[in-house]
Amino acid sequence: MGEEEKKHSDGVVGQTMPANRVDDAVEYLEGHSDVADTQDVDISALRRKIDYRIIPFMFCCYVLQFLDKVMLNYAAVMGIKKDLGLVGNDFSNTATWFFIAYLIAEVPNVYLLQKTPAAKWLGLNVTLWGVAAAASAGAHDYRSLLVSRIFLGIFEATIGPSLMLLSSQFYTRSEQAPRFTFWYLGLGVAQIIGGIISFAFQQVHHTFAGWRIMFLVLGLVTMLVGVLTMLFIPDTPMKARWLSETEKIALLRHVSVNQTGVWSSRVDMRQIWEAVGDVQLWLLTLTTICTSVSSGVVTTYSATLINGFGFTPPHSALLNTPSGIVSIFFTLAVGIGIRRVSHRWAWFIFCTIPGIIGGALMSFLPKHNKAGVLIGIYLVNAIVATLPILYQWTMANCAGHTKRAFASALVAGSFSVGNIIGPQTFQARDAPEYRPAKIAVLATQAAAGTLAFVLFLYYVWENRRRVKAAGEGEEEVIDETKWAGLTDRENRWFRYVY
């Protein structure tokens, strides 16, 4: 065998894997081969130690990414339209261009997430989107607001892929579900405190408008969290200064069951082409788009819809806070449920049902039935709990570092597409009821639930096909594939979770 090859089987007799496909964790394990005994390491205690060190920062980043994004929603009832002279579809376009920039930025993210340390890249972008959020306070017309929102979209684009990749490095596939859930709870928390923050800043009477102070303060807080993220989240388990060498070895051996690898800075174009032709990724993409249409509506227009009932702007902000409670409840239910009984597809559909009911209430109840329509707006927020499921599926079922980076960016980009479509369903001519937008929420929820069931059927079929083709598992071969840099398609011992 030549120098360019390692003796790692890809599960197919007679084939070997090139050295440049092997995960960086292999080099670390080989360099610490003298650390043989890790039996004394308590995995549960180690897992808690990791939780305390990285999850709070992930949570704060996710709170702030939603707050900085959703503040435009609250600014709409705080006078930003009047102050900046926004007319017609200017406000919708501002929201849409944020996600267009977000989508475009996912293209270089695929490369940069391979070539730059994930935590440092995340922290840098958090800091920069804090700058963009603070800059929104200085907007003086439609164009200047649009520019600040475009830069905000560019820098926020890395949040989903970065957090997905970092989470998948430190936890097994079953452990990832509650961790994804915890940092994703930041969305619901942000919905609650966002309404309170908006209410508070509306009590400020100053020559500098309340919405401007709100953008400035949140931008400065975000910059601080970005710097702390760069300093305290390790880029990989191997670089965690607060883990001993024995703990690092024990952790790498523990997460090796994922068969997805930990980190590799080498870009493998074959994995990208495989991802482009992967049925599961296109199903995940379509499902994410359908889910995100409602997210775009909730993020940008929920306060506007509530304000349309005749409530004052401060009360509209406060009445939007129950949306966060609904998001938190369903996100927790999903996280706990998946950890205990798995069946991600069933939990996904479980969340679309209240979303469908909420869309129906919003669409077909008369406007004077304020309570019923408000309940509809709140129920639609159940659908946000499906996104961590899609994140989990992406990280758990895509192996090979390049493919995982590409898949995470693709799903995050799909989220952008849905959020581009969502605000555009709100056309000025449809005010004040915006019935076409509400019907779009109903239709996309039903489509998302259907696609999740199709994805479940695909995973069941593919696993059965693999079991039939592989026969009895060969433990030695399966063990060798853990760090071979194989994709889920190349590794015939890989099994999809659903």
Side-chain angles (χ1 to χ4, degrees), residues 396-416:
N397 290 338
C398 291
H401 194 75
T402 300
K403 184 174 181 179
R404 282 195 302 154
F406 180 86
S408 65
L410 184 64
V411 170
S414 305
F415 173 77
S416 303

Side-chain angles (χ1 to χ4, degrees), residues 247-469:
E247 288 175 325
K248 291 176 184 178
I249 298 298
L251 177 61
L252 291 176
R253 290 173 179 171
H254 178 62
V255 301
S256 68
V257 298
N258 292 340
Q259 299 189 65
T260 57
V262 170
W263 172 259
S264 175
S265 60
R266 305 170 184 90
V267 177
D268 189 337
M269 289 303 299
R270 286 188 296 177
Q271 292 190 14
I272 292 179
W273 286 118
E274 178 184 306
V276 169
D278 195 335
V279 173
Q280 67 157 331
L281 274 180
W282 290 112
L283 286 171
L284 286 167
T285 296
L286 290 173
T287 308
T288 305
I289 291 172
C290 289
T291 297
S292 303
V293 169
S294 296
S295 175
V297 171
V298 169
T299 300
T300 310
Y301 273 99
S302 56
T304 300
L305 289 171
I306 295 171
N307 185 232
F309 294 139
F311 294 107
T312 63
H315 288 152
S316 297
L318 286 179
L319 284 171
N320 202 37
T321 56
S323 297
I325 297 173
V326 173
S327 298
I328 290 172
F329 172 81
F330 280 95
T331 301
L332 281 174
V334 164
I336 295 170
I338 290 176
R339 176 64 171 165
R340 292 185 176 179
V341 298
S342 192
H343 295 297
R344 290 164 174 79
W345 65 276
W347 287 103
F348 190 105
I349 294 173
F350 167 72
C351 292
T352 63
I353 293 172
I356 292 170
I357 295 171
L361 292 175
M362 289 169 57
S363 301
F364 304 118
L365 283 181
K367 185 181 178 182
H368 61 78
N369 190 341
K370 295 181 181 179
V373 179
L374 269 176
I375 290 172
I377 293 172
Y378 298 149
L379 284 176
V380 167
N381 285 270
I383 197 66
V384 303
T386 62
L387 197 57
I389 300 176
L390 293 166
Y391 285 166
Q392 292 165 36
W393 260 337
T394 304
M395 289 296 98
N397 290 338
C398 291
H401 194 75
T402 300
K403 184 174 181 179
R404 282 195 302 154
F406 180 86
S408 65
L410 184 64
V411 170
S414 305
F415 173 77
S416 303
V417 172
N419 278 274
I420 290 169
I421 296 170
Q424 288 303 310
T425 62
F426 278 82
Q427 295 295 306
R429 63 177 179 272
D430 300 322
E433 293 193 16
Y434 300 104
R435 190 173 296 275
K438 296 173 182 177
I439 293 174
V441 169
L442 172 62
T444 52
Q445 297 311 296
T450 302
L451 285 167
F453 186 68
V454 172
L455 195 58
F456 156 68
L457 294 177
Y458 171 77
Y459 284 141
V460 170
W461 171 80
E462 180 62 21
N463 281 351
R464 288 177 178 173
R465 187 188 68 79
R466 288 177 176 229
V467 169
K468 185 177 180 180

Side-chain angles (χ1 to χ4, degrees), residues 82 91 140 162 190 192 221 232 252 283 324 347 381 388 435:
K82 180 180 178 182
F91 186 75
H140 55 84
S162 295
I192 295 173
V221 171
F232 292 108
L252 291 176
L283 286 171
W347 287 103
N381 285 270
R435 190 173 296 275

Side-chain angles (χ1 to χ4, degrees), residues 61 64 68 121-131 155 158-159 219 222-227 229:
C61 287
L64 289 167
D68 290 335
W121 180 242
L122 171 64
L124 174 63
N125 278 274
V126 173
T127 304
L128 291 174
W129 94 52
V131 173
F155 298 131
T158 193
I159 181 72
T222 302
M223 283 185 267
L224 174 62
V225 171
V227 172
T229 298

Side-chain angles (χ1 to χ4, degrees), residues 5-200:
E5 295 180 333
K6 288 277 187 180
K7 294 182 181 180
H8 287 276
S9 168
D10 69 350
V12 181
V13 177
Q15 292 187 4
T16 52
M17 291 307 301
N20 63 7
R21 299 285 298 280
V22 179
D23 196 275
D24 284 9
V26 173
E27 297 177 11
Y28 187 86
L29 290 169
E30 290 177 348
H32 296 77
S33 56
D34 55 316
V35 183
D37 186 14
T38 58
Q39 296 296 320
D40 293 336
V41 177
D42 184 338
I43 293 298
S44 296
L46 178 59
R47 191 163 50 228
R48 288 194 297 272
K49 185 177 183 179
I50 295 168
D51 288 342
Y52 295 146
R53 293 281 187 164
I54 67 174
I55 298 296
F57 289 102
M58 293 180 171
F59 173 79
C60 288
C61 287
Y62 215 77
V63 168
L64 289 167
Q65 71 87 24
F66 191 79
L67 267 181
D68 290 335
K69 180 169 55 184
V70 82
M71 281 301 107
L72 185 65
N73 178 9
Y74 293 111
V77 297
M78 294 173 69
I80 192 172
K81 293 181 180 179
K82 180 180 178 182
D83 292 347
L84 301 187
L86 303 182
V87 295
N89 292 321
D90 285 352
F91 186 75
S92 291
N93 292 337
T94 302
T96 297
W97 272 100
F98 167 91
F99 286 104
I100 291 175
Y102 193 109
L103 177 61
I104 293 171
E106 292 300 349
V107 177
N109 254 329
V110 176
Y111 179 80
L112 291 167
L113 283 172
Q114 289 261 193
K115 290 298 183 181
T116 59
K120 299 298 184 293
W121 180 242
L122 171 64
L124 174 63
N125 278 274
V126 173
T127 304
L128 291 174
W129 94 52
V131 173
S136 300
H140 55 84
D141 58 12
Y142 169 62
R143 288 185 178 181
S144 55
L145 177 64
L146 187 63
V147 170
S148 67
R149 298 299 291 183
I150 287 174
F151 277 104
L152 188 66
I154 291 171
F155 298 131
E156 281 200 21
T158 193
I159 181 72
S162 295
L163 291 182
M164 282 189 272
L165 286 171
L166 285 166
S167 298
S168 67
Q169 292 175 357
F170 287 89
Y171 302 101
T172 64
R173 292 196 287 183
S174 63
E175 293 166 354
Q176 287 170 24
R179 275 76 189 180
F180 275 65
T181 295
F182 190 85
W183 56 255
Y184 191 80
L185 283 174
L187 188 151
V189 172
Q191 286 178 297
I192 295 173
I193 65 177
I196 297 172
I197 289 172
S198 174
F199 178 84

